[in-house]
Amino acid sequence: MSVQERKQRERAERERLIVATARELAEQQGWDAVTTRRLAERIEYSQPVLYSHFRGKREIIGAVALEGAAEMAAEVRAATSVADGPRGRVAALARTYLDFAARNPAVYDALFQLDGGLPYAREDTPEPLKDAFAALLESLGEVAGDGVHPALFTEVFWASLHGLATLTRAGRLLPEDAARRVELLVDRLAVV
């Protein structure tokens, strides 16, 4: 291995450490607790080292969002691949999405609430974000209904899931009705 290759590997490892530490800190204490000073202390590197990887917190949030998008896409695909029929796939997708949001609130915020400097719904949208949408579209497109554009239906269904995730987390919805909400969403929106 050349010196250059070793330096590149070490740089990539430092970057993964920064992202993992930011994510851990955000999940434990919220995004307000994530500062370059605290990250530098936790990973035992100087702040200039952090700035050599990320220009600031916004880029770190973006990196966490990209990582989270890839994880969410993988979880959705895994859940829908073992479900029976279109209705089962849509229900599995909905449950998996809501479970992901509940288990990873800081990552969910990085993806959908905070400014991570990432373009959404554009040509230059990063691949992990496009792939996360594609993971939803794969199951939802088949239940959009006649004359309904599959991507548009996916956006509306996704918006409904996002609303449920956000309202549930804020304590605005009764937790005991969570499963019934998913059933209602699937029954009323998906043409199965």
Side-chain angles (χ1 to χ4, degrees):
M1 173 182 302
S2 73
V3 172
Q4 182 65 22
E5 289 172 330
R6 183 181 53 80
K7 285 183 179 184
Q8 287 175 341
R9 187 185 75 231
E10 289 171 354
R11 180 173 176 74
E13 287 173 8
R14 270 194 313 272
E15 193 165 301
R16 280 190 296 275
L17 178 61
I18 293 166
V19 171
T21 304
R23 181 176 175 169
E24 179 183 316
L25 186 57
E27 291 292 1
Q28 291 171 353
Q29 300 176 31
W31 278 105
D32 287 342
V34 179
T35 64
T36 54
R37 176 173 288 166
R38 288 183 89 182
L39 285 174
E41 289 171 2
R42 283 205 175 196
I43 66 171
E44 298 177 346
Y45 283 104
S46 67
Q47 284 181 294
V49 170
L50 264 74
Y51 286 116
S52 74
H53 291 274
F54 300 100
R55 286 182 290 209
K57 183 175 176 176
R58 181 179 187 221
E59 285 189 3
I60 294 169
I61 290 169
V64 169
L66 293 176
E67 187 177 272
E71 291 172 13
M72 186 177 71
E75 288 184 27
V76 165
R77 284 190 175 108
T80 57
S81 71
V82 296
D84 289 329
R87 186 187 190 293
R89 282 189 289 281
V90 173
L93 177 150
R95 285 189 302 272
T96 301
Y97 182 98
L98 294 171
D99 288 346
F100 180 87
R103 282 191 334 273
N104 304 284
V107 173
Y108 193 82
D109 285 349
L111 272 165
F112 303 121
Q113 305 284 17
L114 301 175
D115 179 10
L118 302 172
Y120 284 77
R122 295 188 349 204
E123 288 291 320
D124 59 341
T125 298
E127 275 310 309
L129 299 178
K130 287 180 181 180
D131 188 54
F133 185 78
L136 301 176
L137 180 62
E138 289 162 11
S139 292
L140 294 171
E142 67 181 321
V143 298
D146 292 337
V148 178
H149 192 281
L152 182 61
F153 177 78
T154 299
E155 290 173 345
V156 171
F157 199 93
W158 170 30
S160 299
L161 290 174
H162 176 69
L164 289 174
T166 303
L167 291 169
T168 298
R169 184 163 144 206
R172 304 292 197 271
L173 301 175
L174 295 172
E176 59 268 19
D177 291 333
R180 289 184 20 213
R181 279 188 207 94
V182 169
E183 285 178 33
L184 183 61
L185 184 63
V186 172
D187 288 343
R188 300 292 186 208
L189 287 184
V191 178
V192 187

